[in-house]
Amino acid sequence: MAISVFDLFKVGIGPSSSHTVGPMRAAATFAQALFEQGLQEQVRRVEIRLYGSLSATGVGHATDRACVMGLMGEWPDSIDPRSIGPHIQQLRESGELSLGGRSNIAFDWHRDLLLLDESLPYHPNAMSLSAFGADGLLWQQTYYSVGGGFIVEEAEMAEGAPAASGVELPYDFNSAVELLALCQRHQLRVSELMMANERAWRSDAEIRSGLLHIWSVMRECVEQGMRHEGILPGGLDVPRRAAKLHRNLLEIGKPNVISSTLSAMEWVNLFALAVNEENAAGGRMVTAPTNGAAGIIPAVLHYYMKFNPEASDDDVVDFFLGAAAVGILCKKNASISGAEVGCQGEVGSACAMAAAGLAEVLGATPEQLENAAEIGLEHNLGLTCDPVGGLVQVPCIERNAIAAVKAINATQMALRGDGKHFISLDRVIRTMRDTGADMHDKYKETSRGGLAVSWVEC
Ligand code: SF4
């Protein structure tokens, strides 16, 4: 399947791409299909069944609310996150849901939204939606939320691979080896090759304006995160730190090692904390490539733009294209879903992508870019997904800051070399896939292992 840079970087809402963005898209798609089939007049009620990880951590990840909003015709890229609370409250009080935002049906939260302690065969993130009329079932569909906001219908999963998109790319690649060979044969940088591929979907102007829009949403997310203070929602009483850290860094002034050890690094921490706190609070986000790991790429790009006086919009475009090349490899050959391969798939993939993006704008050869991504991913291998309380807060928020710094270091190390190195990116991605397959389910976004159970609620 051809994957675009805009499949990896999508505007959505927090706190999770697989558990919030994907389920909302699935429910909105289901509601839309009811209208397209002319069934909406006959629908009396809709039942939502959540399975596997969507059930285990669904409430903490706001999956239940996302599904309901999707049925009401809302989409993750256009919904106003602030409208969700009032809509949900109104629904609970009235017992009515506005299907597709157009026709009211009865909705009983306990009867119609079921969190099931069972899994469906193809992926841990599964959900079924059933529409009932006066005489019984009208239509049913099962969706899998496979990470990064991607959804796949059951029939496609059963066939073993997502349906081909029908798009033919001039430089299609399925491995880093193929990517490097194409770059060498056609004398292209990674971002140039990716740009040529993107033209299969959009014009140059659309690609550029689309990526700059993604960057503007990331910047606004950081701004919001640096503005908001208080306690994050969900009951863990996790305090927001970005606003205070921002004030402290402004007091310190220009980064230097006397007033603060490695204060440039602290700015990187700040950018990541700001994004991930906004994510935890359900704010406007860009999946990069997921929500749980959404702070890493913006933090590294902010770092580059802030500390390089010559940085330009062209760099932003190249950064995203370089990062996306690596995201495509992770998605095609392993997974970007914490429920499938643990946090290595989310934070590890984002770290590798950020390292690649930074390498690209710092003038790396394709081989050095591949090396930067390899270092970024290699040192996240084995990372489990164990969010405390099923919330995308502990360890997720700090983990993004750590991985962002790691990505910058990975790029610096790669740029000191000539691109030759011991283990290839392809092998590291394969190792991530195999390690994820061996990982016990309790470490894959179920909150049944690791830090999620080490933490004891008093
Ligand atoms: S631990 Fe990692 S994979 Fe799991 S929810 Fe947090 S960021 Fe996502």
Side-chain angles (χ1 to χ4, degrees):
M1 183 178 73
I3 301 173
S4 160
V5 63
F6 295 103
D7 292 324
L8 295 165
F9 298 110
K10 293 190 288 291
V11 176
I13 56 162
S16 168
S17 50
S18 56
H19 288 57
T20 318
V21 175
M24 187 183 287
R25 288 182 70 207
T29 303
F30 183 81
Q32 191 176 49
L34 287 172
F35 279 84
E36 284 168 2
Q37 295 174 76
L39 294 171
Q40 76 278 5
E41 296 293 331
Q42 301 171 53
V43 178
R44 296 289 175 271
R45 74 180 186 93
V46 174
E47 185 178 275
I48 305 163
R49 300 168 78 86
L50 301 178
Y51 298 91
S53 177
L54 289 189
S55 168
T57 62
V59 174
H61 286 59
T63 311
D64 48 356
R65 294 152 63 98
C67 289
V68 165
M69 295 309 297
L71 284 179
M72 295 210 275
E74 298 283 359
W75 295 84
D77 59 338
S78 53
I79 190 172
D80 178 355
R82 293 165 304 184
S83 72
I84 296 175
H87 271 124
I88 296 290
Q89 189 180 346
Q90 191 185 17
L91 181 151
R92 283 183 183 274
E93 286 168 5
S94 67
E96 285 194 336
L97 180 151
S98 174
L99 186 65
R102 288 184 262 176
S103 54
N104 283 354
I105 58 169
F107 191 85
D108 181 318
W109 202 275
H110 296 293
R111 180 196 64 190
D112 297 327
L113 204 160
L114 304 173
L115 303 170
L116 300 164
D117 190 15
E118 54 188 284
S119 298
L120 294 190
Y122 303 116
H123 193 279
N125 294 336
M127 56 187 279
S128 286
L129 293 156
S130 308
F132 295 93
D135 298 324
L137 184 66
L138 289 170
W139 193 54
Q140 185 178 51
Q141 184 60 270
T142 296
Y143 300 91
Y144 291 87
S145 179
V146 297
F150 288 84
I151 55 166
V152 182
E153 291 184 2
E154 185 169 41
E156 282 182 64
M157 291 297 269
E159 283 164 14
S165 61
V167 170
E168 292 235 345
L169 302 180
Y171 303 115
D172 200 7
F173 58 90
N174 292 304
S175 67
V177 166
E178 290 178 14
L179 173 65
L180 293 180
L182 285 167
C183 286
Q184 193 167 45
R185 191 176 320 139
H186 299 282
Q187 290 297 294
L188 293 170
R189 298 177 56 74
V190 172
S191 56
E192 291 171 334
L193 180 146
M194 285 290 295
M195 190 70 169
N197 282 347
E198 288 297 319
R199 290 186 190 115
W201 287 280
R202 296 171 182 85
S203 69
D204 282 37
E206 287 169 330
I207 298 163
R208 185 180 169 84
S209 67
L211 290 176
L212 292 179
H213 174 63
I214 293 288
W215 174 228
S216 75
V217 177
M218 284 182 172
R219 284 203 326 260
E220 178 58 21
C221 182
V222 166
E223 287 295 323
Q224 292 293 333
M226 293 193 302
R227 211 171 286 145
H228 290 140
E229 303 208 49
I231 302 293
L232 290 170
L236 283 184
D237 289 342
V238 173
R240 299 179 76 132
R241 289 180 281 178
K244 183 160 178 271
L245 177 57
H246 187 215
R247 283 196 298 276
N248 290 344
L249 292 178
L250 289 177
E251 280 164 22
I252 292 169
K254 204 165 173 237
N256 65 78
V257 292
I258 296 168
S259 51
S260 167
T261 310
L262 298 177
S263 58
M265 187 182 79
E266 289 204 83
W267 280 95
V268 178
N269 288 342
L270 166 65
F271 298 136
L273 294 180
V275 171
N276 287 88
E277 288 173 4
E278 274 304 289
N279 181 56
R284 167 67 68 228
M285 301 297 303
V286 175
T287 62
T290 64
N291 277 32
I296 299 163
I297 287 167
V300 174
L301 184 51
H302 271 81
Y303 159 82
Y304 175 79
M305 298 299 281
K306 180 173 178 63
F307 295 111
N308 179 0
E310 294 178 5
S312 67
D313 284 352
D314 289 346
D315 291 335
V316 171
V317 172
D318 289 349
F319 184 104
F320 283 133
L321 292 171
V326 171
I328 288 168
L329 293 173
C330 293
K331 173 137 184 69
K332 278 188 174 178
N333 298 311
S335 171
I336 56 170
S337 164
E340 214 172 352
V341 296
C343 195
Q344 54 176 354
E346 292 204 16
V347 162
S349 298
C351 183
M353 292 169 69
L358 184 61
E360 183 68 13
V361 294
L362 288 176
T365 63
E367 289 76 16
Q368 286 173 318
L369 179 149
E370 186 262 359
N371 190 7
E374 180 270 325
I375 298 170
L377 184 56
E378 181 181 307
H379 303 290
N380 284 294
L381 286 177
L383 199 60
T384 60
C385 172
D386 50 0
V388 175
L391 299 165
V392 194
Q393 298 182 11
V394 180
C396 320
I397 297 172
E398 274 178 10
R399 185 167 288 175
N400 275 255
I402 299 294
V405 173
K406 202 185 278 189
I408 294 168
N409 199 17
T411 301
Q412 296 297 358
M413 289 175 81
L415 288 173
R416 293 286 173 194
D418 60 4
K420 294 201 183 85
H421 53 102
F422 197 72
I423 299 182
S424 70
L425 176 60
D426 287 331
R427 284 185 186 275
V428 175
I429 291 175
R430 208 176 311 147
T431 304
M432 171 163 77
R433 184 197 62 197
D434 295 345
T435 305
D438 290 342
M439 206 179 267
H440 195 289
D441 275 354
K442 66 185 182 181
Y443 300 117
K444 294 196 273 194
E445 212 160 357
T446 56
S447 288
R448 292 181 185 135
L451 293 170
V453 295
S454 299
W455 173 79
V456 180
E457 197 171 0
C458 306

